[in-house]
Amino acid sequence: KAGVTQTPRYLIKTRGQQVTLSCSPISGHRSVSWYQQTPGQGLQFLFEYFSETQRNKGNFPGRFSGRQFSNSRSEMNVSTLELGDSALYLCASSPRQGGNSPLHFGNGTRLTVT
Amino acid sequence: SQKIEQNSEALNIQEGKTATLTCNYTNYSPAYLQWYRQDPGRGPVFLLLIRENEKEKRKERLKVTFDTTLKQSLFHITASQPADSATYLCALDYISGSARQLTFGSGTQLTVLP
């Protein structure tokens, strides 16, 4: 089985722009979670989607949004980028929703905001 | 709010020794606790999951313990090898509203010296 695929691998944007990141989960996995990883804050939960519905959301401003398609692929969008949004954005999939199922992570999208 | 602490940011040990990493948590009693390994520039990789009613779990050279009284999990790597050098993350399921999410500690960077 192919693993979780995230595109693009690297992105450089300027303040005020918006960005869309893409995630293709493992085939058959219906849950997709997004995390932001920075050296200072570690892995921070953004949101989880299951069957095209957002099931849970972390403590991030409304500039961060996402969606999931019928094939379980997911996108996340960050609008009005700020310098502090520079981070590694990780997507993870699992067969089931919730914290009792191991997560399968992609290798992330490295976003740099200048 | 939930707080997770991993014993130290960095741990150096000699090849062949047992590495012991600590994960402490407060303000919550998780039903599950997971451990992940992360290499530079890559997403975390799932290693082990332990349930609250399990005291210990083993997988090859890895062992995890879960003490719900002490609110602590210990992660052991026996007969450590330089290839075990990586950052190790503990994660626990956390109920936010009606949903569960996986919350990560900041990680311990392990270096196994030859």
Side-chain angles (χ1 to χ4, degrees):
Chain A
K1 263 186 183 178
V4 176
T5 305
Q6 292 188 247
T7 56
R9 191 80 171 88
Y10 300 93
L11 262 179
I12 299 176
K13 293 284 188 179
T14 55
R15 275 180 298 176
Q17 288 186 312
Q18 74 160 14
V19 67
T20 299
L21 312 181
S22 181
C23 172
S24 293
I26 290 173
S27 177
H29 285 193
R30 295 167 62 193
S31 171
V32 173
S33 299
W34 287 89
Y35 286 83
Q36 180 196 66
Q37 187 172 35
T38 59
Q41 297 296 317
L43 270 162
Q44 300 288 310
F45 174 76
L46 280 158
F47 27 65
E48 178 185 11
Y49 285 87
F50 185 84
S51 295
E52 303 178 64
T53 302
Q54 187 180 90
R55 303 292 177 157
N56 201 357
K57 190 176 192 302
N59 190 25
F60 278 82
R63 301 185 296 107
F64 292 81
S65 63
R67 59 178 176 167
Q68 187 180 33
F69 302 96
S70 58
N71 62 358
S72 293
R73 192 177 69 84
S74 178
E75 290 180 345
M76 70 161 277
N77 184 276
V78 188
S79 61
T80 319
L81 284 166
E82 301 177 359
L83 294 178
D85 297 333
S86 294
L88 180 67
Y89 289 87
L90 290 160
C91 163
S93 73
S94 65
R96 296 180 299 277
Q97 178 189 348
N100 61 348
S101 183
L103 296 181
H104 300 261
F105 283 88
N107 286 326
T109 294
R110 173 74 63 185
L111 173 65
T112 301
V113 182
T114 61
Chain B
S1 63
Q2 177 57 247
K3 188 174 181 182
I4 307 171
E5 288 185 353
Q6 296 196 237
N7 56 329
S8 58
E9 288 190 8
L11 178 65
N12 296 334
I13 64 165
Q14 211 64 39
E15 182 177 5
K17 301 292 186 183
T18 296
T20 298
L21 285 63
T22 305
C23 177
N24 295 296
Y25 57 91
T26 60
N27 299 337
Y28 186 64
S29 295
Y32 305 88
L33 194 145
Q34 303 184 28
W35 283 88
Y36 289 78
R37 166 185 173 141
Q38 187 173 23
D39 292 285
R42 309 292 292 259
V45 174
F46 170 76
L47 296 174
L48 282 167
L49 180 151
I50 187 165
R51 294 174 172 76
E52 61 177 340
N53 60 351
E54 297 176 316
K55 296 292 184 188
E56 182 180 297
K57 203 80 167 281
R58 290 176 184 262
K59 179 183 175 183
E60 298 171 353
R61 295 184 295 110
L62 309 180
K63 184 177 85 171
V64 172
T65 63
F66 193 5
D67 189 325
T68 55
T69 302
L70 292 178
K71 293 187 182 294
Q72 180 182 80
S73 174
L74 298 179
F75 178 80
H76 307 272
I77 305 175
T78 58
S80 60
Q81 305 164 1
D84 295 326
S85 299
T87 296
Y88 291 85
L89 302 158
C90 72
L92 53 85
D93 73 309
Y94 173 61
I95 295 178
S96 174
S98 59
R100 309 180 81 101
Q101 68 189 55
L102 204 58
T103 302
F104 284 81
S106 55
T108 296
Q109 186 174 348
L110 174 68
T111 301
V112 181
L113 303 167

